[in-house]
């Protein structure tokens, strides 16, 4: 799935060093990025900084996002999640860390997943409902992984369960989320 | 649709969530990198679901001045404190107006209170006069005009009637004056009550204005703190940018020297150095092992003509076991005849620890 046409036009502006184009994207997606950053950090001022850092990254390295490969919002979510989790772990983001991540993007092809969900409010709502419908331990495991950036070992410690149980919970939870998205996709005309 | 499970891996969901660690993570990365299409397809579809999790975060809105702060950062301007002239002027004007109105009401209230006192005194005087007239009337009705003895029932009745009539008229006039004074007093009391109420309302407005002012000052202090943080970040970012330029200059060099480092012992890591003496050296490492807590990877140079080792930098390690370090141009690079990567229990240890990668002179 390609980037939306309006995003593509604004991204071309960003590539041409048009600040107004970047600010238009900031206004379009800033609230959603802030929502994710705040969910992870639970600190308003830190979340505001993550939002700025995310859009600055796009400004400084627009070539890191390829409009042919995916949806801009998915890329913004990915970058902001990484920034928020790094800040949460209080790692200092030296340039070389950014280089390592940028190398990852370049070397692995900057795969941004096809994400109709992010552009489709109905699908996003379905994911939220599916998350709320999960058993508490499965939902918690997924939230610890995504919003807290915990590894399977850390989740096992947090939940006080064996590693194998954590893996099972994650797989089952993800499977149910996939069903919800697949079903909603089929319902679309 | 999820493809059939690959015989080697089923953990694309866990990999997409980012929960795999160490060897499991590296195995999956290598598996995907070497082109298992089954797992790649499954991974991408799962990554789509993972990304959708971001949209489940409760909605939060950007503050009204966040765009202005971002624009300032974008333009690289020194971060000025947000001016609030309108609020300040409005606060000042409101405060001044409030004080002026309060003073006016106070003067009015004092004036009215004084008038009330005057009127009360006048009323009391009127009552006293009325009482005196009544006493006199009573006395005259009992005595002759000279006032020396009780009236003689056989005295001049016409004179008595005239006197009584005169007194009655004076009494009526005093009573009328008393009524007017009482009405004036009631009016003044009503005005006083209204003025007191206005003072009360203005007092509440002043307190409200003070609360607003305090809120504005708190917001200003918050913004000043944010500004300080942003300035610190800007300084750090400038430092990072300078480093970025040096590394970019190195990678853009026409002819770079390159050498691979060899793993030592059972180490699985690999590394390559790129350098040019006048642009510095960049080491890129892969598959670095997991570090114990507080440990780090250090880069050392062998000094030319000796087996002495000089510590030149600490590797920065990414999520998947990749790492790199940049060494600026200088005497250490000029004298380099080999390189060594070690694991140190603490950053900047004075002697090399466990060796994992090496180019020996």
């Amino acid at each position: 799935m390609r980037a939306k046409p309006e995003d593509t036009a604004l991204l071309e502006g960003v590539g041409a060093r048009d600040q107004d184009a970047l600010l238009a994207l900031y206004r379009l997606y800033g609230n959603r990025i802030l929502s994710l950053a705040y969910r992870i950090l639970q600190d308003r001022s830190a979340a505001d900084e993550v939002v700025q850092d995310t859009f600055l990254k796009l400004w400084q390295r627009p070539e890191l996002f390829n409009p042919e490969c995916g949806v801009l919002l998915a890329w913004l979510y990915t970058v902001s999640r990484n920034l928020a989790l790094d800040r949460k772990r209080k790692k200092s983001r030296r340039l070389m860390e950014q280089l390592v991540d940028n190398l990852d993007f370049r070397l692995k092809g900057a795969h941004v997943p096809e994400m109709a969900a992010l552009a489709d409010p109905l699908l996003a709502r379905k994911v939220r409902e599916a998350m709320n419908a999960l058993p508490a331990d499965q939902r918690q495991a997924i939230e610890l992984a995504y919003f807290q950036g915990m590894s399977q070992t850390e989740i096992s410690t947090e939940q006080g369960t064996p590693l194998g149980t954590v893996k099972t919970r994650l797989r089952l939870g993800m499977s149910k989320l996939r069903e919800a998205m697949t079903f909603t996709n089929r319902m679309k005309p | 649709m999820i493809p059939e499970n690959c015989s080697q891996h089923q953990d694309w969901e866990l990999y997409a969530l980012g929960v795999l660690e160490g060897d499991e993570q590296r195995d999956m990365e290598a598996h995907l990198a070497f082109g298992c299409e089954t797992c790649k397809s499954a991974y991408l579809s799962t990554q789509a679901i993972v990304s959708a999790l971001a949209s489940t975060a409760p909605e939060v809105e950007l503050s009204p001045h966040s765009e202005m702060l971002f624009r300032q950062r974008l333009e690289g301007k020194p971060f000025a404190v947000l001016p609030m002239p309108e609020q300040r002027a409005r606060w000042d004007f409101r405060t001044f107006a409030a004080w002026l109105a309060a003073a006016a009401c106070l003067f009015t209230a004092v004036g009215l209170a004084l008038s009330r006192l005057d009127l009360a005194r006048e009323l009391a005087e009127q009552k006293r006069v009325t009482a005196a007239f009544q006493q006199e009337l009573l006395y005259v009705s009992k005595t002759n005009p000279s006032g020396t003895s009780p009236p003689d029932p056989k005295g001049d009745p016409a004179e008595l009637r005239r006197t009584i009539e005169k007194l009655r008229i004076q009494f009526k006039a005093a009573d009328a004056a008393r009524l007017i004074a009482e009405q004036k007093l009631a009016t003044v009391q009503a005005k006083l009550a209204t003025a007191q109420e206005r003072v009360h309302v203005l007092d509440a407005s002043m307190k409200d204005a003070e609360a607003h002012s305090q809120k504005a000052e708190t917001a200003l202090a918050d913004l000043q703190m944010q500004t300080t943080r942003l300035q610190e970040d800007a300084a750090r970012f400038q430092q990072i940018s300078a480093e970025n330029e040096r590394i970019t200059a190195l990678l853009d060099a026409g002819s770079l020297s390159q050498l691979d480092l060899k793993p030592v012992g059972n180490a699985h890591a690999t590394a390559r150095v790129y350098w040019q003496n006048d642009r510095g050296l960049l080491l890129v490492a892969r598959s670095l092992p997991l570090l114990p807590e507080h440990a780090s990877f250090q880069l050392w140079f062998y000094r030319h003509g000796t087996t002495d080792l000089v510590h030149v930098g600490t590797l920065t390690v990414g999520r998947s076991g990749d790492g790199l370090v940049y060494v600026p141009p200088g005497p250490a690079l000029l004298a380099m005849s080999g390189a060594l990567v070690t694991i140190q229990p603490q950053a900047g240890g004075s002697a090399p620890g466990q060796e994992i990668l090496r180019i020996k002179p």
Side-chain angles (χ1 to χ4, degrees), chain B residues 81-113:
Chain B
V81 170
L82 282 183
M84 295 188 204
E86 288 185 10
Q87 286 190 14
R88 220 166 255 292
R90 209 180 301 131
W91 185 89
D92 284 338
F93 173 74
R94 281 179 68 183
T95 306
F96 177 72
W99 277 111
L100 195 62
C105 285
L106 194 60
F107 283 129
T108 306
V110 167
L112 288 172

Side-chain angles (χ1 to χ4, degrees), chain A residues 21-42:
Chain A
L22 182 70
L23 288 167
L25 288 172
Y26 182 86
R27 284 190 287 272
L28 260 179
Y29 295 120
N31 284 345
R32 282 193 260 194
I33 303 306
L34 179 64
S35 302
L36 173 61
Y38 185 73
R39 174 65 178 82
I40 293 172
L41 292 167
Q42 295 297 302

Side-chain angles (χ1 to χ4, degrees), chain B residues 111-163:
Chain B
L112 288 172
L114 289 174
S115 302
R116 182 184 173 217
L117 275 176
D118 286 340
L119 283 170
R121 248 186 252 125
E122 195 180 320
L123 185 62
E125 180 64 23
Q126 288 292 338
K127 280 185 179 169
R128 192 191 65 74
V129 166
T130 304
F133 277 135
Q134 281 176 332
Q135 285 292 331
E136 194 168 340
L137 185 63
L138 192 62
Y139 177 74
V140 167
S141 67
K142 289 181 183 172
T143 188
N144 61 17
S146 68
T148 55
S149 63
D152 183 353
K154 293 178 185 172
D156 183 0
E159 182 63 30
L160 181 61
R161 273 197 298 277
R162 276 196 294 277
T163 303

Side-chain angles (χ1 to χ4, degrees), chain B residues 159-206:
Chain B
E159 182 63 30
L160 181 61
R161 273 197 298 277
R162 276 196 294 277
T163 303
I164 289 171
E165 192 55 36
K166 202 193 309 181
L167 285 172
R168 203 171 275 140
I169 290 168
Q170 284 177 346
F171 178 75
K172 272 188 187 169
D175 206 40
R178 179 184 62 79
L179 281 172
I180 290 169
E182 278 180 352
Q183 277 170 3
K184 278 187 187 172
L185 179 63
T187 306
V188 164
Q189 280 175 334
K191 284 184 183 172
L192 183 62
T194 305
Q196 282 171 340
E197 197 182 322
R198 277 196 196 140
V199 168
H200 179 71
V201 165
L202 279 166
D203 191 46
S205 293
M206 274 172 54

Side-chain angles (χ1 to χ4, degrees), chain B residues 112-358:
Chain B
L112 288 172
L114 289 174
S115 302
R116 182 184 173 217
L117 275 176
D118 286 340
L119 283 170
R121 248 186 252 125
E122 195 180 320
L123 185 62
E125 180 64 23
Q126 288 292 338
K127 280 185 179 169
R128 192 191 65 74
V129 166
T130 304
F133 277 135
Q134 281 176 332
Q135 285 292 331
E136 194 168 340
L137 185 63
L138 192 62
Y139 177 74
V140 167
S141 67
K142 289 181 183 172
T143 188
N144 61 17
S146 68
T148 55
S149 63
D152 183 353
K154 293 178 185 172
D156 183 0
E159 182 63 30
L160 181 61
R161 273 197 298 277
R162 276 196 294 277
T163 303
I164 289 171
E165 192 55 36
K166 202 193 309 181
L167 285 172
R168 203 171 275 140
I169 290 168
Q170 284 177 346
F171 178 75
K172 272 188 187 169
D175 206 40
R178 179 184 62 79
L179 281 172
I180 290 169
E182 278 180 352
Q183 277 170 3
K184 278 187 187 172
L185 179 63
T187 306
V188 164
Q189 280 175 334
K191 284 184 183 172
L192 183 62
T194 305
Q196 282 171 340
E197 197 182 322
R198 277 196 196 140
V199 168
H200 179 71
V201 165
L202 279 166
D203 191 46
S205 293
M206 274 172 54
K207 281 180 186 162
D208 195 39
E210 275 174 21
H212 279 303
S213 167
Q214 274 172 9
K215 258 191 209 171
E217 281 176 7
T218 305
L220 181 62
D222 278 347
L223 284 168
Q224 282 171 336
M225 262 175 55
Q226 262 193 19
T227 300
T228 305
R229 262 203 298 268
L230 285 168
Q231 283 171 337
E232 284 166 7
D233 277 351
R236 191 165 57 95
F237 184 69
Q238 274 171 359
Q239 194 186 349
I240 288 172
S241 286
E243 219 169 31
N244 187 24
E245 281 178 19
R246 287 199 290 271
I247 292 178
T248 307
L250 171 65
L251 294 174
D252 286 343
S255 58
L256 272 184
S257 303
Q258 302 180 28
L259 266 181
D260 284 335
L261 281 75
K262 300 274 189 295
V264 176
N266 294 329
H268 295 293
T270 60
R272 174 172 288 196
V273 288
Y274 307 84
W275 81 96
Q276 204 178 63
N277 281 343
D278 58 347
R279 295 194 185 202
L281 176 142
L282 181 69
L283 179 141
V284 180
R286 305 273 183 204
S287 302
L288 291 165
L290 268 179
L291 281 174
E293 206 174 340
H294 302 307
S296 62
F297 296 107
Q298 302 288 319
L299 175 63
W300 308 74
F301 284 168
Y302 286 97
R303 216 197 300 257
H304 182 70
T306 71
T307 54
D308 293 344
L309 282 164
V310 176
H311 173 253
V312 294
T314 304
L315 271 69
T316 304
V317 183
R319 293 171 190 279
S320 50
D322 297 344
L324 51 84
V325 59
Y326 173 73
V327 180
L333 183 58
L334 285 172
M336 177 191 74
S337 63
L340 178 65
V341 176
T342 65
I343 296 177
Q344 299 296 119
Q346 278 181 350
S350 58
Q354 179 193 346
E355 298 180 3
I356 56 167
L357 291 158
R358 186 171 55 205

